[in-house]
Amino acid sequence: MSKVSNVSRRRRSALTKGGADYTAKREELVRIAAKLFKEQGYQSTKLLDIAQAAGLDRATVYYYVGSKEELFREAVEGVLDANLAEAQRLLEDASLSWADRLHAIYVRLMVSYEENYPATFVYIQEQMHQVGSEETIWAQEIMKKTRRFDQMLLGFIREAIASGELRSDIPPRLVEHALFGMLNWTHRWFTPGGPMTGLDIADAFWSIFMNGMTPEKS
């Protein structure tokens, strides 16, 4: 127990005072963990797997992180916070139409998937089955953020319908499932560096969506 406590104390000290090398190794562990979470699933991936992929023993990994959950949190939370902040910025930008706001956050999400690959895809894969079932304070908090983000997206859709920018004969929640379902399904097949960029994919999906959702002119 004293050995574990000593490692925990060293980790806490290093998190506060650690230099560039410590930060770089911690970030490397987060990237490795995200890759393994995507390939194997969060539940199936063990801290030992992450340690071996990083060329470290498990005891050394504890100097950088306290748990597998901590690696998961580090991998996904920053991306979610950034997307929330962007949605809030768009909400407050009165110069944009509601459809423009929706388009902007849609593109931002797909580009974010590409820029932060595979961390965001890990979150998409695990959020309902893993995070939602956790009872930790962090898990509860990230689900609150997820619900808040969902309500902001739904709000963009509702306002776009109310303003006549989108057709009104389809329920907003169904519109959201159709639009963002296309985006979220990319976790099954998209890999950065392929023939289409994240921006290309977002624009193609948006074109498909708008061709079906633009109200007919009378």
Side-chain angles (χ1 to χ4, degrees):
M1 179 66 70
S2 59
K3 182 178 180 181
V4 174
S5 299
N6 184 50
V7 172
S8 298
R9 285 194 297 270
R10 290 176 58 219
R11 181 175 64 250
R12 287 195 296 270
S13 176
L15 283 170
T16 303
K17 304 175 184 177
D21 289 345
Y22 182 87
T23 300
K25 177 57 72 173
R26 184 178 164 85
E27 290 174 351
E28 179 189 357
L29 285 169
V30 170
R31 288 193 298 272
I32 290 170
K35 181 175 182 294
L36 291 177
F37 292 156
K38 183 177 186 301
E39 292 173 352
Q40 302 176 181
Y42 176 81
Q43 293 277 30
S44 298
T45 302
K46 297 178 173 55
L47 202 59
L48 180 60
D49 299 330
I50 298 166
Q52 290 176 339
L56 303 172
D57 58 54
R58 190 164 58 177
T60 302
V61 169
Y62 279 119
Y63 174 59
Y64 295 96
V65 293
S67 65
K68 183 175 72 169
E69 184 195 68
E70 184 177 335
L71 285 166
F72 182 79
R73 180 175 70 241
E74 290 286 329
V76 306
E77 191 168 27
V79 180
L80 178 58
D81 287 344
N83 289 334
L84 263 171
E86 178 62 9
Q88 185 64 41
R89 185 192 70 79
L90 291 167
L91 180 65
E92 296 170 359
D93 189 346
S95 70
L96 298 173
S97 70
W98 289 105
D100 286 341
R101 291 180 174 102
L102 186 60
H103 177 234
I105 194 61
Y106 193 74
V107 170
R108 180 60 244 164
L109 277 175
M110 189 62 218
V111 172
S112 172
Y113 293 172
E114 181 175 35
E115 291 175 346
N116 298 284
Y117 182 89
T120 315
F121 285 166
V122 168
Y123 173 63
I124 293 170
Q125 289 176 183
E126 302 290 345
Q127 62 168 319
M128 298 307 297
H129 300 291
Q130 175 57 38
V131 179
S133 65
E134 291 282 347
E135 296 182 356
T136 63
I137 293 174
W138 173 78
Q140 294 170 8
E141 181 62 27
I142 201 168
M143 290 308 295
K144 286 180 183 178
K145 290 178 180 180
T146 298
R147 286 191 289 269
R148 180 183 164 209
F149 189 60
D150 173 71
Q151 287 302 309
M152 293 178 79
L153 299 180
L154 194 59
F156 288 173
I157 292 169
R158 285 174 172 153
E159 293 291 350
I161 291 172
S163 65
E165 299 167 59
L166 298 179
R167 54 191 284 188
S168 59
D169 59 324
I170 300 177
R173 181 62 80 179
L174 183 57
V175 174
E176 184 194 30
H177 288 328
L179 180 59
F180 290 95
M182 286 193 295
L183 207 64
N184 290 343
W185 195 251
T186 59
H187 83 88
R188 297 294 297 271
W189 54 266
F190 175 74
T191 302
M196 296 185 74
T197 67
L199 179 59
D200 292 335
I201 292 167
D203 282 342
F205 281 172
W206 183 259
S207 177
I208 293 169
F209 170 76
M210 288 304 292
N211 283 339
M213 281 302 301
T214 301
E216 293 183 4
K217 295 181 179 179
S218 57

